[in-house]
Amino acid sequence: MADLAISVENLAKEYQIGKAQSANTTMVELISEGFKAPFRRAWGLMRGQASAASELSESLWALKDVSFTVQPGEVVGLIGRNGAGKSTLLKILSRITAPTRGRAEIHGRVGSLLEVGTGFHPELTGRDNIYLNGAILGMSREEIRGKFDQIVAFAEIEKFLDTPVKHYSSGMYVRLAFAVAANLEPEILLVDEVLAVGDKAFQDKCLNKMDDISHSGRTVLFVSHNMAAVLALCSRVVFLENGRVAADGPSQEVVQSYLSHGAQTVGERVFASDERPGNSSFEVVAVRFLDSAGRQAGSTYISQPSGVEVEYEVKRQGARAMFSMVLFDANTYCLFGSLSNTDPEFYGKPLDKGRYRSRCVLPADFLNSGRYYVSITGATDYWRDGFRADHAISFDAMDDGKLKGDYPGGYGGSLRPRLTWTTERVR
């Protein structure tokens, strides 16, 4: 195992929920409680209380039989939905909590960036916490002093350096925590999804720093819901679902598997017969997001074309069905709308009764990475009897790096079109 940076074998963590333990309970009280509990349960049974159920707690397995290894210098993403066990795993690896069973081994000096509040003493100043964290990492005072100015400059907290961190905002706290974890050069860096607290400029700064770390030969385990960041930083991804490893492999394959898990509820919406948007002439049966192969999906790569499909039922002979697709970004800001009048064969033409599918194509190299929402509006006979289905579906666009080329920074905005540039020499 010595040649591995991280080794996790059959790891499991169980929590008891439903009965809180007083934080001020003494050892004598605990021993007394353990002695009296069997008699209290027996008394409850004699009184007809089923196993004294109010005394019992419910168990929750945050992790169950998790196994994987990480090689030195490897950058691994850890993804999964809320409650999948990602933060619990990092807390075990950071020695903050102990596993219920199984084994987790780390070989090397570890720096951890977990949720806000972990690893800092609230009564100490920012300056003192820098030296405290360095000491925990096993660094000498001289080593920390050599990195001190670099840490303070990165965190951008010069004016508050001698203020107790309990008075810091969450953004200031995260800036200092990341600066300490990234600049004290641990051999293994564990990063949880805390970058979402900072502003956009600092998030980009952190991601660029992590990109530098990932190319420096250090080992990184990166937890994030930002799939673009995961794809940019990590060559391999572990996907946790319900406390178990659902997939482990190359980043693009595992991220695609993760996103497709929600495709039925994200990339497709099939309306119940009594809830279909429409009018007396026709009604929408389903709205779907399509990948480059024309298959229903919950995600796409920005370098590939994709599309939106509207399936509808024409109920009145000769009805003229027309649609508009409106695209919104993750902040539900309207980006643009597109009319179906670019389909001259069907737009404005009388249709026979029956089932139809109309598709709108989103070109390759057009979207930026992120989440998008699609609303559909419809009408009959040149925009009479209109109706709409707001945010009918959503999908994720992922950056596969093909459009980015050699540009190292992030792209702003909700769209990232490939536009034509020309150059001429004028002198």
Side-chain angles (χ1 to χ4, degrees):
M1 295 291 184
D3 57 339
L4 295 175
I6 301 174
S7 174
V8 176
E9 186 176 347
N10 297 321
L11 198 66
K13 178 63 178 178
E14 181 185 26
Y15 289 104
Q16 298 297 323
I17 58 176
K19 182 182 178 183
Q21 179 69 50
S22 170
N24 297 318
T25 301
T26 66
M27 180 62 71
V28 173
E29 289 170 332
L30 283 171
I31 295 172
S32 175
E33 181 67 22
F35 178 76
K36 292 186 291 185
F39 299 98
R40 186 160 47 246
R41 283 194 292 269
W43 177 245
L45 289 171
M46 290 171 62
R47 297 178 61 190
Q49 298 173 355
S51 300
S54 61
E55 297 275 337
L56 301 179
S57 59
E58 180 184 351
S59 45
L60 169 70
W61 288 94
L63 294 172
K64 201 161 188 180
D65 302 323
V66 172
S67 298
F68 65 92
T69 59
V70 179
Q71 301 291 331
E74 196 173 9
V75 182
V76 179
L78 190 61
I79 64 175
R81 290 173 174 79
N82 291 334
K86 307 183 299 297
S87 296
T88 300
L89 176 57
L90 258 61
K91 286 180 180 178
I92 292 175
L93 292 174
S94 302
R95 302 295 188 260
I96 293 173
T97 188
T100 304
R101 65 168 184 260
R103 185 172 60 182
E105 295 182 359
I106 286 192
H107 303 278
R109 191 165 65 187
V110 179
S112 300
L113 183 59
L114 308 182
E115 69 259 24
V116 176
T118 303
F120 280 176
H121 194 296
E123 300 295 335
L124 298 181
T125 65
R127 182 188 304 274
D128 293 335
N129 271 292
I130 292 174
Y131 281 97
L132 175 63
N133 272 259
I136 291 173
L137 285 172
M139 300 179 69
S140 68
R141 193 171 184 83
E142 289 72 24
E143 287 179 292
I144 302 169
R145 188 178 293 116
K147 296 285 185 181
F148 187 85
D149 291 342
Q150 183 178 333
I151 292 170
V152 174
F154 191 96
E156 303 170 4
I157 58 157
E158 292 89 342
K159 292 193 297 185
F160 307 96
L161 191 58
D162 293 307
T163 301
V165 298
K166 67 181 180 181
H167 298 303
Y168 284 15
S169 68
S170 58
M172 292 167 60
Y173 210 113
V174 167
R175 291 204 301 271
L176 181 58
F178 186 90
V180 170
N183 289 284
L184 289 183
E185 298 186 357
E187 296 166 294
I188 300 171
L189 182 61
L190 308 177
V191 183
D192 204 346
E193 181 74 284
V194 293
L195 301 183
V197 179
D199 56 55
K200 180 67 166 59
F202 190 76
Q203 289 179 32
D204 290 342
K205 186 177 180 179
C206 291
L207 291 173
N208 287 333
K209 181 65 175 179
M210 288 188 60
D211 189 47
D212 293 341
I213 292 173
S214 69
H215 290 92
S216 67
R218 283 181 275 172
T219 306
V220 179
L221 192 58
F222 178 48
V223 172
S224 181
H225 289 285
N226 185 336
M227 294 302 106
V230 171
L231 286 169
L233 294 172
C234 307
S235 58
R236 172 186 160 208
V237 169
V238 176
F239 169 24
L240 287 184
E241 186 175 36
N242 298 323
R244 298 178 183 270
V245 176
D248 181 354
S251 299
Q252 290 192 2
E253 293 179 13
V254 178
V255 168
Q256 188 75 34
S257 173
Y258 163 68
L259 293 175
S260 67
H261 268 64
Q264 190 64 26
T265 55
V266 174
E268 178 183 50
R269 183 170 181 183
V270 179
F271 295 95
S273 58
D274 59 344
E275 297 178 348
R276 291 175 179 174
N279 52 35
S280 59
S281 299
F282 75 100
E283 59 187 17
V284 175
V285 175
V287 182
R288 301 182 182 91
F289 179 74
L290 307 177
D291 64 13
S292 59
R295 299 168 300 199
Q296 187 270 314
S299 62
T300 185
Y301 288 113
I302 65 174
S303 66
Q304 299 177 353
S306 54
V308 174
E309 177 181 86
V310 183
E311 184 173 337
Y312 53 100
E313 188 82 28
V314 174
K315 301 186 294 182
R316 177 175 63 83
Q317 184 68 23
R320 293 175 171 87
M322 44 202 64
F323 291 99
S324 170
M325 182 204 79
V326 186
L327 191 68
F328 299 82
D329 65 10
N331 297 315
T332 65
Y333 179 81
C334 179
L335 300 177
F336 65 86
S338 177
L339 299 178
S340 60
N341 57 7
T342 55
D343 181 8
E345 185 177 350
F346 284 88
Y347 181 82
K349 303 294 177 62
L351 301 177
D352 293 330
K353 290 183 178 180
R355 185 72 61 94
Y356 295 83
R357 289 176 180 166
S358 294
R359 296 179 178 179
C360 175
V361 176
L362 295 171
D365 300 332
F366 177 68
L367 301 172
N368 204 350
S369 57
R371 174 150 292 191
Y372 294 86
Y373 297 87
V374 176
S375 293
I376 298 294
T377 63
T380 308
D381 301 333
Y382 302 106
W383 301 103
R384 289 196 294 270
D385 298 327
F387 60 88
R388 63 187 299 133
D390 288 319
H391 295 169
I393 58 171
S394 64
F395 64 92
D396 290 300
M398 302 181 298
D399 188 356
D400 51 11
K402 294 181 180 178
L403 180 59
K404 196 169 185 179
D406 58 359
Y407 174 62
Y411 280 79
S414 298
L415 302 178
R416 192 198 297 186
R418 180 189 290 274
L419 304 178
T420 300
W421 287 57
T422 60
T423 303
E424 63 176 335
R425 183 173 182 177
V426 297
R427 181 178 298 179

